[in-house]
Amino acid sequence: RPYQLPPFDLIKNEHFEPAIERGMAEHLAEIEAIARQEAAPTFENTIVAMQKSGAILDRAAGVFYSLVSADTNDTLEALRGKIAPKMAAHRDSILLNSALFERVKKLYAARDSSDLDPESTMLLETVHRDFVRAGANLSPDDKEKLKSFNAELAALQTQFSQNVLKEVNALAVVVDSRE
């Protein structure tokens, strides 16, 4: 296919959930391998490896959310409501992963003495900031509370978006004649 576009003509609604579930499982396995490796953290084996992880999930979720945004239907909307809290939990399982954050913190602490180019330094700083803002420094109890809030927020954001879509569709004026 040109430009590596997804084969939208072959993709069915029922393909999304198993693809996203598989993508999340593979992504978590990749992240766990990064977090649990015995080698000392380096930019390559931690930050670059994280950036390269999750390719299947990125592809499946990208196609799903693109389609939901451009050409949704009741089945996709129901699926979006089901997937949103799972995606929030998936994100939390990465950004609240203590072992992974320890690796990122070590690299971040040594950033000024490392030989990283400016782009790599900026990426490291961005990754560290994302972890901190996501709650990686919280206590275990507070992390659990945050996970609960994030799941609820994801569900509410999806519900709000769907309510707006319903209202916009209800306001549509169909013009089927010249008069």
Side-chain angles (χ1 to χ4, degrees):
R1 295 211 176 246
Y3 309 108
Q4 298 181 351
L5 290 172
F8 286 105
D9 57 326
L10 302 176
I11 299 172
K12 299 189 180 338
N13 292 341
E14 61 268 16
H15 294 157
F16 287 112
E17 189 171 17
I20 289 172
E21 293 282 346
R22 177 179 167 201
M24 285 191 290
E26 289 189 16
H27 191 203
L28 283 181
E30 292 166 342
I31 290 296
E32 271 307 307
I34 296 165
R36 302 287 175 215
Q37 62 186 309
E38 292 182 20
T42 65
F43 185 78
E44 285 294 320
N45 74 12
T46 303
I47 303 301
V48 172
M50 287 172 53
Q51 294 297 306
K52 290 181 176 180
S53 69
I56 290 174
L57 178 59
D58 289 346
R59 182 81 167 165
V63 171
F64 175 72
Y65 287 112
S66 294
L67 193 56
V68 166
S69 295
D71 187 28
T72 195
N73 58 51
D74 292 341
T75 303
L76 289 178
E77 286 302 320
L79 187 55
R80 181 164 65 141
K82 188 176 177 183
I83 287 176
K86 290 180 181 181
M87 291 292 283
H90 177 74
R91 184 175 186 273
D92 284 345
S93 68
I94 295 169
L95 294 175
L96 299 178
N97 181 318
S98 298
L100 184 61
F101 184 52
E102 283 304 313
R103 296 181 70 81
V104 171
K105 277 198 312 193
K106 286 178 183 173
L107 293 170
Y108 181 77
R111 71 192 180 285
D112 292 333
S113 61
S114 66
D115 59 351
L116 295 177
D117 59 56
E119 292 84 7
S120 298
T121 301
M122 184 175 178
L123 176 59
L124 174 58
E125 290 171 349
T126 300
V127 168
H128 180 267
R129 183 180 60 237
D130 289 348
F131 271 83
V132 171
R133 288 182 178 173
N137 281 324
L138 293 173
S139 70
D141 287 343
D142 286 340
K143 283 181 182 180
E144 289 307 311
K145 288 179 193 173
L146 180 62
K147 288 177 187 179
S148 175
F149 293 147
N150 286 343
E152 182 180 4
L153 183 60
L156 290 172
Q157 286 174 326
T158 300
Q159 182 182 8
F160 176 79
S161 176
Q162 290 170 336
N163 289 343
V164 169
L165 179 64
K166 287 177 189 171
E167 288 300 314
V168 168
N169 288 343
L171 293 174
V173 176
V174 177
V175 179
D176 55 5
S177 71
R178 183 171 272 203
E179 293 78 30

